[in-house]
Amino acid sequence: MIGGDVKREGLQLNFSRSISAPAEEAAAPAPVPARLRPLSLPTSPSCELADSKKATVVARTRYCSCQELAKRLSAGRSPTCALLDVRPFMVYNQSHIQGAINLNCMDRFNRRRLQLGKASLAELASNKEAKELLKRRTYREFVVCDEGTTDLEMLPASHPLFMVLGALLEDNREPVLLTGGMAAFGREFPSLCRSELRPMGLDGPDCVSQLRERADEIESAQVTQILPFLYVGNQHDAKDLVSLKNCGITRVLNVTAHVPGYHQQQGISYKTLPAADSGQQNISQYFDEALEFIGGLVGWTLRSPPPVSGFSGHCARRHQASVLVHCVAGVSRSPTIAIAYIMKYLPMSMLEAYQLVKARRPIISPNLNFMGQLLEWEQYLRPSMPALTPCSEEASGAARLPGPPTGQQSPCRPLETCTS
């Protein structure tokens, strides 16, 4: 027992410890964890195979300068090589080297089929002429370009260029890479480049006069017959009752938010799709509704293309009436709807449908946002599209728009009688 007079010097109390906890002994130094050796996992066989294919492609691909390609294109002789453009379709349409064939290898579906050997480069081409060219053994040398590659070694093995160059090598062709791609060639040789979406250049000194001519051309455009029952026009065409009657139009699809239905009392059926001509407008949300209003084709087969006379016999439309699709100018929104209709019911690819409508109405120019949505529409329609046999006369003939027999006029009224 400790007496009261005992000094308690040096007594220390640990207030941070629980009263019920046992006293701590001298803390032993914390053990230093052993340093783990890094584990090196074996390389995946697929990665090794991809690297091996990349090395083969790099070793066997020749490079071509922009100056060399420009000299060959300007020589005026028959081309000795084919030019392949592997950029996305929309970028290709904005500007590409003249004569270049666009390959849709940005799509994962196409890339996977090509990698598995279930597709050829010809199937990736964006139009039938290009498909035929790639199927024939006309050219042995193929110049391939992307946006701006200068060195294949710097690209990952998964890059689309290796897929295309590898496919050419497997087909015993000679792949050549355009150094610097379209970016370098377009800067140095703009006169050798083309555009599908911009019908004229607006960079020169005649920019103002070209814009004025373009505006006059749009203003003076007449209602245009795209199919025997389908017309594309502007807001003035929708207002012109005489023109509507002359063309036999009894249904009007208005792709604007403000143009009214002018002649509902005269038996004209109207439908409005409130779409704006902008880069933010989702016009594809109206495709099904628009196509339902126009009336789908029933009984269509690629091997039995319908006659012109009202598309009767081989197919029938839900509405036996001619339809006008219009927006304000008939340049962007209404052609987009017409292209979507043709893609589904003829059927055609987006580029083929676009070229068909543009051939009949040259002023059309859907904005890039709408063109992108048409590309998505094509991807959506693809599983239901019948397989084409490009070498077959029946298949190639079915892809064309039906026209009147030689020496006969179309049963639809000619365009010059469709104006007041």
Side-chain angles (χ1 to χ4, degrees), residues 71-154:
K71 184 177 180 180
R72 297 175 70 170
L73 293 176
S74 305
R77 300 189 300 269
S78 298
T80 58
C81 66
L83 181 59
L84 304 180
D85 191 322
V86 302
R87 298 176 302 153
F89 179 76
M90 290 304 303
V91 180
Y92 166 86
N93 267 319
Q94 292 181 48
S95 182
H96 58 265
I97 302 171
Q98 65 180 25
I101 297 172
N102 180 240
L103 298 182
N104 183 21
C105 54
M106 295 292 110
D107 177 36
R108 288 184 297 176
F109 177 82
N110 282 335
R111 292 172 64 173
R112 183 63 177 165
R113 292 184 67 229
L114 188 62
Q115 290 168 350
L116 294 176
K118 296 181 179 180
S120 65
L121 288 179
E123 295 180 50
L124 271 61
S126 55
N127 59 65
K128 285 184 173 57
E129 292 78 8
K131 292 179 189 291
E132 288 295 324
L133 178 64
L134 292 177
K135 285 188 175 183
R136 295 193 297 266
R137 311 292 297 186
T138 306
Y139 302 108
R140 181 170 178 81
E141 186 180 34
F142 285 79
V143 179
V144 183
C145 79
D146 65 348
E147 187 61 33
T149 296
T150 57
D151 187 358
L152 288 173
E153 289 278 12
M154 305 301 294

Coordinates of all heavy atoms in Angstrom, one line a residue, residues 71-154:
K71 N 0.6 14.2 -110.0 CA 1.2 14.1 -111.3 C 0.5 12.9 -112.1 O 0.2 13.1 -113.3 CB 2.7 13.8 -111.2 CG 3.4 13.7 -112.5 CD 4.9 13.5 -112.3 CE 5.6 13.4 -113.7 NZ 7.1 13.2 -113.5
R72 N 0.2 11.9 -111.4 CA -0.5 10.7 -112.1 C -1.9 11.1 -112.4 O -2.4 10.7 -113.5 CB -0.5 9.5 -111.2 CG 0.9 9.0 -110.9 CD 1.0 7.9 -109.9 NE 0.4 6.6 -110.4 CZ 0.5 5.5 -109.8 NH1 1.1 5.4 -108.6 NH2 0.0 4.4 -110.4
L73 N -2.6 11.9 -111.5 CA -4.0 12.2 -111.8 C -4.1 13.3 -112.9 O -5.1 13.3 -113.7 CB -4.6 12.8 -110.6 CG -4.9 11.8 -109.4 CD1 -5.4 12.6 -108.2 CD2 -5.8 10.7 -109.8
S74 N -3.0 14.1 -113.1 CA -3.1 15.2 -114.1 C -2.5 14.7 -115.4 O -2.5 15.5 -116.4 CB -2.3 16.4 -113.6 OG -2.8 16.8 -112.3
A75 N -2.0 13.5 -115.5 CA -1.3 13.1 -116.7 C -2.3 13.0 -117.9 O -1.9 13.1 -119.1 CB -0.7 11.7 -116.5
G76 N -3.6 12.8 -117.6 CA -4.6 12.7 -118.7 C -4.7 11.3 -119.3 O -5.5 11.1 -120.2
R77 N -3.9 10.4 -118.9 CA -4.0 9.0 -119.4 C -4.9 8.2 -118.6 O -5.4 8.6 -117.5 CB -2.6 8.4 -119.4 CG -1.5 9.1 -120.2 CD -0.3 8.2 -120.3 NE 0.3 8.0 -118.9 CZ 1.2 8.7 -118.4 NH1 1.6 9.8 -118.9 NH2 1.6 8.4 -117.2
S78 N -5.2 7.0 -119.0 CA -6.1 6.1 -118.3 C -5.4 5.8 -116.9 O -4.2 5.6 -116.9 CB -6.3 4.8 -119.0 OG -7.0 5.1 -120.3
P79 N -6.2 5.8 -115.9 CA -5.6 5.6 -114.5 C -5.0 4.2 -114.5 O -5.5 3.2 -115.0 CB -6.8 5.7 -113.6 CG -8.0 5.5 -114.4 CD -7.7 6.0 -115.8
T80 N -3.8 4.1 -113.8 CA -3.1 2.8 -113.6 C -3.3 2.3 -112.2 O -2.8 1.2 -111.9 CB -1.6 3.0 -113.9 OG1 -1.1 4.0 -113.1 CG2 -1.4 3.4 -115.4
C81 N -4.0 3.0 -111.4 CA -4.3 2.5 -110.0 C -5.6 3.0 -109.6 O -6.2 3.9 -110.2 CB -3.2 3.1 -109.1 SG -3.2 4.9 -108.9
A82 N -6.1 2.4 -108.5 CA -7.4 2.8 -107.9 C -7.1 3.5 -106.6 O -6.1 3.2 -105.9 CB -8.3 1.6 -107.7
L83 N -7.9 4.5 -106.3 CA -7.7 5.3 -105.1 C -8.8 5.0 -104.1 O -10.0 5.1 -104.4 CB -7.7 6.8 -105.4 CG -7.5 7.8 -104.3 CD1 -6.1 7.5 -103.6 CD2 -7.5 9.2 -104.8
L84 N -8.4 4.6 -102.9 CA -9.4 4.2 -101.8 C -9.3 5.2 -100.7 O -8.2 5.5 -100.2 CB -9.1 2.8 -101.3 CG -9.1 1.7 -102.3 CD1 -8.8 0.3 -101.6 CD2 -10.4 1.6 -103.0
D85 N -10.4 5.7 -100.2 CA -10.5 6.7 -99.1 C -11.2 6.0 -97.9 O -12.4 5.6 -98.0 CB -11.3 7.9 -99.6 CG -11.2 9.0 -98.6 OD1 -11.3 8.8 -97.4 OD2 -11.2 10.2 -99.0
V86 N -10.5 5.8 -96.8 CA -11.1 5.1 -95.7 C -11.6 6.0 -94.6 O -12.0 5.5 -93.5 CB -10.0 4.2 -95.0 CG1 -9.4 3.2 -96.1 CG2 -8.8 5.0 -94.4
R87 N -11.8 7.3 -94.9 CA -12.4 8.2 -93.9 C -13.9 8.0 -93.8 O -14.5 7.4 -94.7 CB -12.1 9.6 -94.3 CG -10.6 10.0 -94.4 CD -10.4 11.4 -94.9 NE -11.0 11.5 -96.2 CZ -11.4 12.7 -96.7 NH1 -11.3 13.8 -96.0 NH2 -11.9 12.7 -97.9
P88 N -14.5 8.5 -92.7 CA -16.0 8.4 -92.6 C -16.7 9.0 -93.8 O -16.2 9.9 -94.4 CB -16.3 9.1 -91.3 CG -15.0 9.1 -90.5 CD -13.9 9.1 -91.5
F89 N -17.9 8.5 -94.1 CA -18.6 8.9 -95.3 C -18.9 10.4 -95.3 O -18.8 11.0 -96.4 CB -19.9 8.1 -95.4 CG -20.8 8.4 -96.6 CD1 -20.4 8.0 -97.8 CD2 -21.9 9.2 -96.4 CE1 -21.2 8.3 -98.9 CE2 -22.7 9.5 -97.5 CZ -22.4 9.0 -98.7
M90 N -19.3 10.9 -94.2 CA -19.6 12.3 -94.2 C -18.4 13.2 -94.5 O -18.5 14.2 -95.2 CB -20.2 12.7 -92.8 CG -21.6 12.2 -92.6 SD -22.8 12.6 -93.9 CE -22.7 14.4 -93.8
V91 N -17.3 12.8 -93.9 CA -16.0 13.6 -94.2 C -15.6 13.4 -95.6 O -15.2 14.4 -96.3 CB -14.9 13.1 -93.2 CG1 -13.6 13.8 -93.5 CG2 -15.3 13.2 -91.8
Y92 N -15.8 12.2 -96.2 CA -15.5 12.0 -97.6 C -16.3 12.9 -98.5 O -15.9 13.4 -99.5 CB -15.7 10.5 -97.9 CG -15.8 10.2 -99.4 CD1 -14.6 9.9 -100.1 CD2 -17.0 10.1 -100.0 CE1 -14.7 9.6 -101.5 CE2 -17.1 9.8 -101.4 CZ -15.9 9.5 -102.1 OH -16.0 9.2 -103.4
N93 N -17.6 13.0 -98.2 CA -18.5 13.8 -99.0 C -18.2 15.3 -98.9 O -18.5 16.0 -99.9 CB -20.0 13.5 -98.6 CG -20.6 12.4 -99.4 OD1 -20.4 12.3 -100.6 ND2 -21.3 11.6 -98.7
Q94 N -17.7 15.7 -97.9 CA -17.3 17.2 -97.8 C -16.2 17.5 -98.8 O -16.2 18.5 -99.4 CB -16.9 17.5 -96.4 CG -18.0 17.5 -95.4 CD -17.6 17.8 -94.0 OE1 -16.9 18.9 -93.8 NE2 -17.9 17.1 -93.0
S95 N -15.2 16.6 -98.9 CA -14.1 16.8 -99.8 C -13.3 15.5 -100.0 O -13.0 14.9 -99.0 CB -13.2 17.9 -99.3 OG -12.2 18.2 -100.3
H96 N -13.0 15.2 -101.2 CA -12.2 14.0 -101.4 C -11.5 14.1 -102.8 O -11.8 15.0 -103.6 CB -13.1 12.7 -101.5 CG -14.2 12.8 -102.5 ND1 -15.4 13.2 -102.3 CD2 -14.1 12.5 -103.9 CE1 -16.2 13.1 -103.4 NE2 -15.4 12.7 -104.3
I97 N -10.5 13.3 -102.9 CA -9.7 13.4 -104.2 C -10.5 12.8 -105.3 O -11.3 11.8 -105.1 CB -8.4 12.5 -104.0 CG1 -7.6 13.1 -102.8 CG2 -7.5 12.6 -105.3 CD1 -6.4 12.2 -102.4
Q98 N -10.4 13.4 -106.5 CA -11.3 13.0 -107.6 C -11.0 11.6 -107.9 O -9.9 11.1 -108.0 CB -11.0 13.9 -108.8 CG -9.6 13.8 -109.4 CD -9.4 14.7 -110.6 OE1 -10.1 15.7 -110.7 NE2 -8.5 14.3 -111.5
G99 N -12.1 10.8 -108.1 CA -12.0 9.4 -108.5 C -11.8 8.5 -107.3 O -11.8 7.3 -107.5
A100 N -11.8 9.0 -106.1 CA -11.5 8.2 -104.9 C -12.8 7.4 -104.6 O -13.9 7.9 -104.7 CB -11.1 9.0 -103.7
I101 N -12.6 6.2 -104.1 CA -13.7 5.3 -103.7 C -13.8 5.3 -102.2 O -12.7 5.0 -101.5 CB -13.5 3.9 -104.2 CG1 -13.5 3.8 -105.8 CG2 -14.5 2.9 -103.7 CD1 -13.1 2.5 -106.4
N102 N -14.9 5.6 -101.6 CA -15.0 5.6 -100.2 C -15.4 4.2 -99.7 O -16.3 3.5 -100.2 CB -16.1 6.6 -99.7 CG -16.3 6.6 -98.2 OD1 -17.4 6.3 -97.7 ND2 -15.2 6.9 -97.5
L103 N -14.6 3.7 -98.7 CA -14.9 2.4 -98.0 C -15.4 2.7 -96.6 O -14.9 3.4 -95.8 CB -13.6 1.6 -97.9 CG -12.9 1.2 -99.2 CD1 -11.7 0.4 -98.9 CD2 -13.8 0.5 -100.1
N104 N -16.6 2.1 -96.4 CA -17.3 2.3 -95.1 C -16.7 1.3 -94.1 O -17.3 0.4 -93.6 CB -18.8 2.1 -95.3 CG -19.5 2.3 -94.0 OD1 -19.0 3.0 -93.1 ND2 -20.7 1.8 -93.9
C105 N -15.4 1.6 -93.7 CA -14.8 0.7 -92.7 C -14.8 1.3 -91.3 O -14.2 0.8 -90.4 CB -13.4 0.4 -93.1 SG -12.3 1.9 -93.4
M106 N -15.5 2.4 -91.1 CA -15.7 3.0 -89.8 C -16.8 2.2 -89.0 O -16.8 2.3 -87.8 CB -16.1 4.5 -89.8 CG -15.0 5.4 -90.4 SD -13.5 5.5 -89.3 CE -12.3 4.6 -90.3
D107 N -17.6 1.5 -89.7 CA -18.7 0.8 -89.1 C -18.2 -0.5 -88.5 O -17.5 -1.3 -89.2 CB -19.8 0.5 -90.1 CG -20.9 -0.3 -89.5 OD1 -21.2 -0.1 -88.4 OD2 -21.5 -1.2 -90.3
R108 N -18.4 -0.7 -87.2 CA -17.9 -1.9 -86.5 C -18.4 -3.2 -87.2 O -17.8 -4.2 -87.2 CB -18.3 -1.9 -85.1 CG -17.5 -0.9 -84.2 CD -17.8 -1.0 -82.8 NE -19.2 -0.7 -82.5 CZ -19.8 -0.7 -81.3 NH1 -19.1 -1.1 -80.3 NH2 -21.1 -0.4 -81.2
F109 N -19.7 -3.2 -87.7 CA -20.3 -4.4 -88.3 C -19.4 -4.8 -89.5 O -19.1 -5.9 -89.7 CB -21.7 -4.1 -88.7 CG -22.4 -5.2 -89.4 CD1 -22.9 -6.2 -88.8 CD2 -22.5 -5.1 -90.8 CE1 -23.6 -7.3 -89.4 CE2 -23.1 -6.2 -91.5 CZ -23.7 -7.2 -90.8
N110 N -19.1 -3.8 -90.4 CA -18.3 -4.1 -91.6 C -16.9 -4.5 -91.2 O -16.4 -5.4 -91.9 CB -18.3 -2.8 -92.5 CG -19.6 -2.6 -93.3 OD1 -20.3 -3.6 -93.5 ND2 -19.9 -1.4 -93.6
R111 N -16.3 -3.8 -90.3 CA -15.0 -4.2 -89.9 C -14.9 -5.6 -89.4 O -14.0 -6.4 -89.7 CB -14.5 -3.2 -88.8 CG -14.3 -1.8 -89.3 CD -14.0 -0.8 -88.2 NE -12.7 -1.1 -87.6 CZ -12.2 -0.3 -86.7 NH1 -12.8 0.8 -86.3 NH2 -11.0 -0.6 -86.1
R112 N -15.9 -6.0 -88.6 CA -15.9 -7.4 -88.0 C -16.0 -8.4 -89.1 O -15.3 -9.4 -89.1 CB -17.0 -7.5 -87.0 CG -17.0 -8.8 -86.3 CD -15.8 -9.1 -85.5 NE -15.8 -10.3 -84.7 CZ -14.8 -10.9 -84.2 NH1 -13.6 -10.3 -84.3 NH2 -14.9 -12.0 -83.5
R113 N -16.9 -8.1 -90.1 CA -17.1 -9.1 -91.2 C -15.9 -9.2 -92.0 O -15.5 -10.3 -92.5 CB -18.3 -8.6 -92.0 CG -19.6 -8.7 -91.4 CD -20.8 -8.4 -92.3 NE -20.9 -9.3 -93.4 CZ -21.0 -9.1 -94.6 NH1 -20.9 -7.8 -95.0 NH2 -21.1 -10.0 -95.5
L114 N -15.2 -8.1 -92.3 CA -14.0 -8.1 -93.1 C -12.9 -8.9 -92.3 O -12.1 -9.7 -92.9 CB -13.5 -6.7 -93.4 CG -12.3 -6.6 -94.4 CD1 -12.7 -7.2 -95.7 CD2 -11.9 -5.1 -94.5
Q115 N -12.8 -8.7 -91.0 CA -11.7 -9.4 -90.2 C -12.0 -10.9 -90.2 O -11.0 -11.6 -90.1 CB -11.7 -8.8 -88.8 CG -11.1 -7.3 -88.8 CD -11.4 -6.7 -87.4 OE1 -12.1 -7.2 -86.6 NE2 -10.8 -5.5 -87.2
L116 N -13.2 -11.3 -90.2 CA -13.6 -12.7 -90.1 C -13.6 -13.3 -91.5 O -13.8 -14.5 -91.6 CB -15.0 -12.9 -89.5 CG -15.1 -12.5 -88.0 CD1 -16.5 -12.6 -87.6 CD2 -14.2 -13.3 -87.2
G117 N -13.3 -12.6 -92.6 CA -13.2 -13.1 -93.9 C -14.6 -13.3 -94.5 O -14.8 -14.0 -95.5
K118 N -15.6 -12.7 -93.9 CA -17.0 -12.8 -94.4 C -17.4 -11.7 -95.4 O -18.5 -11.7 -95.8 CB -18.0 -12.9 -93.3 CG -17.8 -14.1 -92.4 CD -18.8 -14.1 -91.2 CE -18.7 -15.4 -90.4 NZ -19.6 -15.4 -89.3
A119 N -16.5 -10.8 -95.6 CA -16.8 -9.7 -96.5 C -15.5 -9.3 -97.3 O -14.4 -9.6 -96.8 CB -17.3 -8.5 -95.8
S120 N -15.7 -8.7 -98.4 CA -14.5 -8.2 -99.2 C -14.6 -6.7 -99.2 O -15.6 -6.1 -98.8 CB -14.6 -8.7 -100.6 OG -15.8 -8.2 -101.3
L121 N -13.5 -6.1 -99.7 CA -13.4 -4.7 -99.8 C -14.5 -4.1 -100.7 O -15.0 -3.0 -100.5 CB -12.1 -4.2 -100.3 CG -10.9 -4.3 -99.3 CD1 -9.6 -3.9 -100.0 CD2 -11.1 -3.5 -98.0
A122 N -14.9 -4.9 -101.7 CA -16.0 -4.4 -102.6 C -17.3 -4.2 -101.9 O -18.0 -3.3 -102.2 CB -16.1 -5.5 -103.7
E123 N -17.6 -5.0 -100.9 CA -18.8 -4.8 -100.1 C -18.8 -3.6 -99.2 O -19.8 -3.2 -98.8 CB -19.1 -6.1 -99.3 CG -19.3 -7.3 -100.1 CD -19.6 -8.5 -99.2 OE1 -20.4 -8.4 -98.3 OE2 -18.9 -9.6 -99.4
L124 N -17.6 -3.0 -99.0 CA -17.5 -1.8 -98.2 C -17.7 -0.6 -99.0 O -17.8 0.5 -98.4 CB -16.2 -1.8 -97.4 CG -16.2 -2.5 -96.0 CD1 -16.5 -4.0 -96.2 CD2 -14.8 -2.3 -95.4
A125 N -17.6 -0.7 -100.3 CA -17.7 0.5 -101.2 C -19.1 1.1 -101.1 O -20.1 0.4 -100.8 CB -17.4 0.1 -102.6
S126 N -19.2 2.4 -101.2 CA -20.4 3.2 -101.0 C -21.4 3.2 -102.2 O -22.5 3.7 -102.0 CB -20.1 4.6 -100.5 OG -19.3 5.2 -101.4
N127 N -21.0 2.7 -103.3 CA -21.9 2.7 -104.5 C -21.6 1.6 -105.4 O -20.6 0.9 -105.3 CB -21.9 4.1 -105.3 CG -20.5 4.3 -105.8 OD1 -20.0 3.6 -106.7 ND2 -19.8 5.4 -105.3
K128 N -22.6 1.3 -106.3 CA -22.5 0.0 -107.1 C -21.4 0.1 -108.1 O -20.7 -0.9 -108.3 CB -23.8 -0.2 -107.8 CG -24.9 -0.7 -106.9 CD -26.2 -1.0 -107.7 CE -27.2 -1.7 -106.8 NZ -27.6 -0.8 -105.6
E129 N -21.1 1.3 -108.7 CA -20.0 1.4 -109.6 C -18.7 1.0 -108.9 O -17.8 0.3 -109.5 CB -19.9 2.8 -110.2 CG -21.1 3.1 -111.1 CD -22.3 3.5 -110.3 OE1 -22.3 3.6 -109.1 OE2 -23.4 3.7 -111.0
A130 N -18.5 1.5 -107.7 CA -17.2 1.3 -107.0 C -17.2 -0.2 -106.6 O -16.1 -0.8 -106.7 CB -17.2 2.1 -105.7
K131 N -18.3 -0.8 -106.3 CA -18.3 -2.3 -105.9 C -17.8 -3.1 -107.2 O -17.0 -4.0 -107.0 CB -19.7 -2.7 -105.5 CG -20.1 -2.1 -104.2 CD -21.6 -2.6 -103.8 CE -22.1 -1.9 -102.6 NZ -21.5 -2.2 -101.4
E132 N -18.4 -2.7 -108.3 CA -18.0 -3.4 -109.5 C -16.5 -3.3 -109.9 O -15.9 -4.2 -110.3 CB -18.9 -2.9 -110.7 CG -20.3 -3.4 -110.7 CD -20.5 -4.9 -110.8 OE1 -19.7 -5.5 -111.5 OE2 -21.3 -5.4 -110.1
L133 N -16.0 -2.0 -109.7 CA -14.6 -1.8 -110.0 C -13.7 -2.6 -109.1 O -12.7 -3.1 -109.5 CB -14.3 -0.3 -109.8 CG -12.9 0.2 -110.0 CD1 -12.5 -0.1 -111.5 CD2 -12.7 1.6 -109.6
L134 N -14.1 -2.7 -107.8 CA -13.2 -3.5 -106.9 C -13.3 -5.0 -107.1 O -12.4 -5.7 -106.9 CB -13.6 -3.2 -105.4 CG -13.3 -1.7 -105.0 CD1 -13.8 -1.5 -103.6 CD2 -11.8 -1.5 -105.0
K135 N -14.5 -5.4 -107.7 CA -14.6 -6.9 -107.9 C -13.8 -7.3 -109.2 O -13.4 -8.4 -109.3 CB -16.1 -7.2 -108.1 CG -16.8 -7.3 -106.8 CD -18.2 -7.8 -107.0 CE -18.9 -8.0 -105.6 NZ -20.3 -8.6 -105.7
R136 N -13.7 -6.4 -110.1 CA -12.9 -6.7 -111.3 C -11.4 -6.6 -111.0 O -11.0 -5.9 -110.1 CB -13.3 -5.7 -112.5 CG -14.7 -5.8 -113.0 CD -14.8 -5.1 -114.3 NE -14.6 -3.7 -114.1 CZ -15.5 -2.8 -113.9 NH1 -16.8 -3.1 -113.8 NH2 -15.2 -1.5 -113.8
R137 N -10.6 -7.4 -111.8 CA -9.2 -7.4 -111.6 C -8.5 -6.3 -112.5 O -7.5 -6.6 -113.1 CB -8.6 -8.8 -111.9 CG -9.3 -9.9 -111.2 CD -9.2 -9.9 -109.7 NE -7.8 -10.1 -109.3 CZ -7.5 -10.2 -108.0 NH1 -8.4 -10.2 -107.0 NH2 -6.2 -10.4 -107.7
T138 N -9.1 -5.2 -112.6 CA -8.6 -4.1 -113.5 C -7.3 -3.6 -113.0 O -6.4 -3.3 -113.7 CB -9.6 -3.0 -113.7 OG1 -10.9 -3.6 -114.0 CG2 -9.2 -2.0 -114.7
Y139 N -7.2 -3.3 -111.7 CA -6.0 -2.6 -111.1 C -5.3 -3.6 -110.1 O -6.0 -4.3 -109.4 CB -6.4 -1.3 -110.4 CG -7.2 -0.3 -111.3 CD1 -8.5 -0.1 -111.1 CD2 -6.5 0.4 -112.2 CE1 -9.2 0.8 -111.9 CE2 -7.2 1.3 -113.1 CZ -8.5 1.5 -112.9 OH -9.2 2.4 -113.7
R140 N -4.0 -3.5 -110.2 CA -3.2 -4.2 -109.2 C -2.8 -3.3 -108.1 O -2.6 -3.7 -106.9 CB -2.0 -4.9 -109.9 CG -1.2 -5.7 -108.9 CD -0.1 -6.5 -109.7 NE 0.7 -7.3 -108.7 CZ 0.3 -8.4 -108.2 NH1 -0.8 -8.9 -108.5 NH2 1.2 -9.0 -107.3
E141 N -2.6 -2.0 -108.4 CA -2.0 -1.1 -107.4 C -3.2 -0.2 -106.9 O -4.0 0.3 -107.6 CB -1.0 -0.2 -108.1 CG -0.3 0.8 -107.1 CD 0.7 1.7 -107.8 OE1 0.5 2.0 -109.0 OE2 1.7 2.0 -107.2
F142 N -3.2 -0.1 -105.6 CA -4.3 0.7 -104.9 C -3.6 1.7 -103.9 O -2.8 1.3 -103.0 CB -5.2 -0.2 -104.1 CG -6.2 -1.0 -104.9 CD1 -5.7 -2.2 -105.6 CD2 -7.5 -0.6 -105.0 CE1 -6.6 -2.9 -106.4 CE2 -8.4 -1.3 -105.8 CZ -7.9 -2.5 -106.5
V143 N -3.9 3.0 -104.2 CA -3.4 4.0 -103.3 C -4.5 4.3 -102.2 O -5.7 4.5 -102.6 CB -3.2 5.3 -104.1 CG1 -2.7 6.4 -103.1 CG2 -2.1 5.1 -105.2
V144 N -4.1 4.2 -101.0 CA -5.1 4.3 -99.9 C -4.8 5.5 -99.1 O -3.6 5.9 -98.8 CB -4.9 3.0 -98.9 CG1 -6.0 3.1 -97.8 CG2 -5.1 1.8 -99.7
C145 N -5.8 6.3 -98.7 CA -5.6 7.5 -97.9 C -6.6 7.6 -96.8 O -7.7 7.1 -96.9 CB -5.7 8.8 -98.8 SG -7.3 9.3 -99.2
D146 N -6.1 8.2 -95.7 CA -7.0 8.6 -94.6 C -6.9 10.1 -94.4 O -6.7 10.8 -95.4 CB -6.7 7.8 -93.3 CG -5.3 8.1 -92.8 OD1 -4.5 8.8 -93.5 OD2 -5.1 7.8 -91.6
E147 N -7.1 10.6 -93.2 CA -7.1 12.0 -93.1 C -5.7 12.6 -93.1 O -5.5 13.7 -93.6 CB -7.8 12.4 -91.7 CG -8.0 13.9 -91.6 CD -8.9 14.5 -92.7 OE1 -9.8 13.8 -93.2 OE2 -8.6 15.7 -93.0
G148 N -4.7 11.9 -92.4 CA -3.4 12.6 -92.4 C -2.3 11.7 -91.9 O -1.3 12.2 -91.4
T149 N -2.4 10.4 -92.1 CA -1.3 9.5 -91.7 C 0.0 9.7 -92.5 O -0.1 9.8 -93.7 CB -1.7 8.1 -91.7 OG1 -2.8 7.9 -90.8 CG2 -0.6 7.1 -91.4
T150 N 1.1 9.8 -91.8 CA 2.4 9.9 -92.5 C 3.3 8.7 -92.3 O 4.2 8.5 -93.0 CB 3.1 11.2 -92.1 OG1 3.3 11.2 -90.6 CG2 2.3 12.4 -92.4
D151 N 3.0 8.0 -91.2 CA 3.9 6.8 -90.8 C 3.0 5.7 -90.2 O 2.4 5.9 -89.2 CB 4.9 7.3 -89.8 CG 6.0 6.2 -89.6 OD1 5.8 5.1 -90.1 OD2 6.9 6.4 -88.8
L152 N 3.0 4.6 -90.9 CA 2.2 3.5 -90.4 C 2.7 2.9 -89.0 O 1.9 2.4 -88.2 CB 2.2 2.3 -91.4 CG 1.3 2.5 -92.7 CD1 1.6 1.4 -93.6 CD2 -0.1 2.6 -92.3
E153 N 3.9 3.1 -88.8 CA 4.5 2.6 -87.5 C 3.9 3.3 -86.3 O 3.8 2.7 -85.2 CB 6.0 2.8 -87.5 CG 6.8 1.9 -88.4 CD 7.1 0.5 -87.9 OE1 6.4 0.2 -86.8 OE2 7.9 -0.2 -88.4
M154 N 3.4 4.5 -86.5 CA 2.9 5.2 -85.4 C 1.4 4.9 -85.0 O 0.9 5.4 -84.0 CB 2.9 6.7 -85.7 CG 4.3 7.2 -86.0 SD 5.5 6.9 -84.7 CE 4.9 8.0 -83.4

